[in-house]
Amino acid sequence: MSRARCHLRAALFLAAVSPRGATTGVAARRGLSAWPAPREPGMEYQVSSSPAAGCAMTREPGLSHLDAVRTLNTLQTNANYLEQVKRQRGDPQTQLEAMELYLARSGLQVEDLDQLNIIHITGTKGKGSTCAFTERILRNYGLKTGFFSSPHLVQVRERIRINGQPISPELFTKHFWHLYNRLEETKGDSSCVSMPGYFRFLTLMAFHVFLQEKVDLAVMEVGIGGAYDCTNIIRKPVVCGVSSLGIDHTGLLGETMEKIAWQKGGIFKCGVPAFTVLQPDGPLAVLRDRAQQISCPLYLCPPLEALEEGGPPLTLGLEGEHQQSNAALALQLARCWLQRKDHQGIGELKVSRPSLLGQLPLAPVFQPTSHMQHGLRDTEWLGRTQLLRRGPLTWYLDGAHTTGSMQACVRWFRQALHRRERPGSGSEVRVLLFNSTGDRDSAALLKLLQPCQFDYAVFCPNLTEMSSVDNADQQNFTVTLDQVLLRCLTHQQHWSHLREEQASPDLWSTPSPEPGGPTSLLVVPHPPHSTSSLVFSCISHALQWISQGRDPVFQLPSPPRGLLAHPVASSGAIILQEAAAIHVLVTGSLHLVGGVLKLLEPSLSQ
């Protein structure tokens, strides 16, 4: 089927034409609306052919927080240059050495980082949640914590936290300009490499903030991979952790679990204890070999149930069965850190059991202390298995973007639906809001979402508003407008094809039981139907259509003209207005979840 025919047949809707009627590239050729051209270079979404980050700074930076964020955004690699870099990627070890040079130019040496008492954590799935659990546990011991993570959801300040809170705008501004000006002063003749890229800069800034603020420890989440990630200039962490592994960032890390495991194991250091969770045999063997090669003691975490035996059940602040593995890893990391720093009250040891696989020694089985129990219970990590109940609407937010994490997301969503309170009368509507970016296989992710039986599938780019004025925290220069629009249309096409493939009644027989779950978690036993799909040009318009003014917090003056122009949008609006309950799953991208949170939770932008 041709793309054109698919677009005519599928329920395509791009809301709100640009104020200037601007169109660009492929979007213009297809007659699709696009975002307005930026009013000032570097201030809004832009498409540029300028080469490397740091070369296009043409105005004197101000001292405000907004100017700091806008200047930071100039360090993003422009889309055209990013493609060139991918084709001409050099020795990754050289990139790591370049990070050390940036650190030296900023006024620090690698040895200075030893003062931070770092916990270094990598993985494919759950590394952010593991970091959040670990930080919260150790904060309960009265320690001053630093926490570096990525990406941010609403504001870039979220990436650098002190005692669990994003650093203030004032502190961010102070440290940003100090570091930026220092790097400007120390640049050499080659001006196009005078500044590190976006993520490198924030990593450097986190080191400076944590040292200046005199934290007792820093939890550092790896960006991508491990071996050549810019956080891996850390030479003497206190302890390292590897969460569940899966397939992601294949263009950088390799296309097999074993190759990815090799990259992740690159954070291991000689003599520094490391912990991992149960992994498939092949990747686990790679981690074991990586550890043995450099004399790193690597341990396998026992399951959370083993730590619960003989004590109270552990309550987790994050929902989802998959969080148990992350919590088990966090408990071992926190206990090891406390033990190596000679803290008391680290949990009474139980009788140890032999390793489950024989490949690795089992980590200690101990009784979690009250500090640990409360830390697990009080952990918050927005955008991961998060529920927001608003009148008839329930928003299910999870930034799953790999096949493994999407499987976990689907289990969580279906189980949450099974536990919900059903309305006494009236219909229930299920809506999917989805986007996927990078080199991820969106067709595979969407296929995993099929059992949820959505009534509507909505696709939109990771852009909160049509205009990015006053939205500097969510600018992205690494993709073009054409790319994000066509990506959404591709998602819609994949979804339509999947629905066609599953139209046979035989494929909709009773699903097989899920481990630990009821026989069937289908919400309503209605026969299969063709999910209507819509594409919106920004998150705000998608939320306006989904909520129909029924979310008591998300209230905008009036919908843009033409929001209900398409028949599916018009008929769906009536159904959504009359539904007794609306269940909305937002998934596929943490950036999408962040944009939704920005609109649903305005306090996060304060």
Side-chain angles (χ1 to χ4, degrees), residues 57-247:
M57 195 64 204
T58 58
R59 64 186 178 88
E60 190 68 24
L63 295 176
S64 73
H65 175 251
L66 183 57
D67 276 341
V69 176
R70 286 172 168 169
T71 304
L72 172 66
N73 287 341
T74 68
L75 303 183
Q76 295 184 39
T77 307
N78 284 326
N80 294 342
Y81 183 69
L82 188 64
E83 289 302 314
Q84 178 186 339
V85 170
K86 286 180 179 179
R87 292 192 299 268
Q88 303 174 351
R89 186 177 294 121
D91 179 9
Q93 183 61 38
T94 303
Q95 300 299 312
L96 208 55
E97 292 169 359
M99 183 63 179
E100 293 187 14
L101 291 176
Y102 284 125
L103 184 72
R105 282 177 49 199
S106 76
L108 295 177
Q109 298 300 317
V110 172
E111 293 75 19
D112 295 324
L113 306 183
D114 300 344
Q115 304 172 40
L116 293 178
N117 300 316
I118 289 170
I119 300 174
H120 203 191
I121 300 176
T122 189
T124 308
K125 302 170 290 182
K127 59 187 169 79
S129 299
T130 300
C131 288
F133 278 129
T134 305
E135 184 277 332
R136 191 66 184 88
I137 290 170
L138 292 172
R139 186 161 26 115
N140 268 14
Y141 278 83
L143 297 164
K144 185 175 184 179
T145 62
F147 180 9
F148 177 69
S149 64
S150 61
H152 61 277
L153 293 178
V154 178
Q155 299 194 69
V156 68
R157 298 184 291 109
E158 299 165 22
R159 296 182 183 227
I160 305 174
R161 297 171 182 259
I162 302 292
N163 286 333
Q165 296 300 313
I167 59 174
S168 68
E170 295 76 19
L171 197 61
F172 182 95
T173 304
K174 167 189 167 184
H175 285 286
F176 174 85
W177 290 119
H178 176 81
L179 177 59
Y180 188 92
N181 292 332
R182 174 71 177 175
L183 291 171
E184 274 287 308
E185 293 165 1
T186 56
K187 69 182 181 184
D189 294 333
S190 182
S191 60
C192 280
V193 292
S194 64
M195 284 291 170
Y198 187 91
F199 184 77
R200 283 182 177 181
F201 188 98
L202 287 170
T203 305
L204 291 169
M205 186 170 157
F207 290 142
H208 279 269
V209 171
F210 295 155
L211 285 168
Q212 287 291 318
E213 296 300 311
K214 296 180 170 54
V215 299
D216 295 313
L217 67 111
V219 177
M220 299 291 296
E221 179 188 2
V222 167
I224 295 177
Y228 304 117
D229 184 74
C230 65
T231 63
N232 207 31
I233 59 173
I234 301 163
R235 293 187 179 177
K236 292 184 179 179
V238 176
V239 61
C240 297
V242 181
S243 67
S244 295
L245 298 179
I247 301 294

Side-chain angles (χ1 to χ4, degrees), residues 319 385-387 396-397 408-416:
E319 291 196 14
T385 59
Q386 181 183 359
L387 265 72
Y396 303 78
L397 309 173
C409 172
V410 168
R411 283 195 299 271
W412 163 69
F413 177 65
R414 295 176 71 191
Q415 289 168 354

Side-chain angles (χ1 to χ4, degrees), residues 28 32 44 57 66 125 146 187 221 231 269 272 283 325 332 351 370 376 389 406 413 432 451 491 511 513 534 551 595:
L32 306 179
E44 301 179 41
M57 195 64 204
L66 183 57
K125 302 170 290 182
K187 69 182 181 184
E221 179 188 2
T231 63
K269 303 295 186 295
V272 175
S325 169
Q332 295 293 343
V351 177
S370 61
L376 293 177
R389 292 183 174 87
M406 189 60 75
F413 177 65
L432 170 67
H491 298 333
L534 300 168
D551 185 306

Side-chain angles (χ1 to χ4, degrees), residues 22-42:
T23 54
T24 179
V26 178
R29 292 193 294 274
R30 296 197 183 281
L32 306 179
S33 62
W35 295 282
R39 293 186 290 185
E40 183 179 347

Side-chain angles (χ1 to χ4, degrees), residues 96 205 320 373 489 522 526-527 594:
L96 208 55
M205 186 170 157
Q373 295 172 32
L489 294 172
L522 289 179
H526 55 257

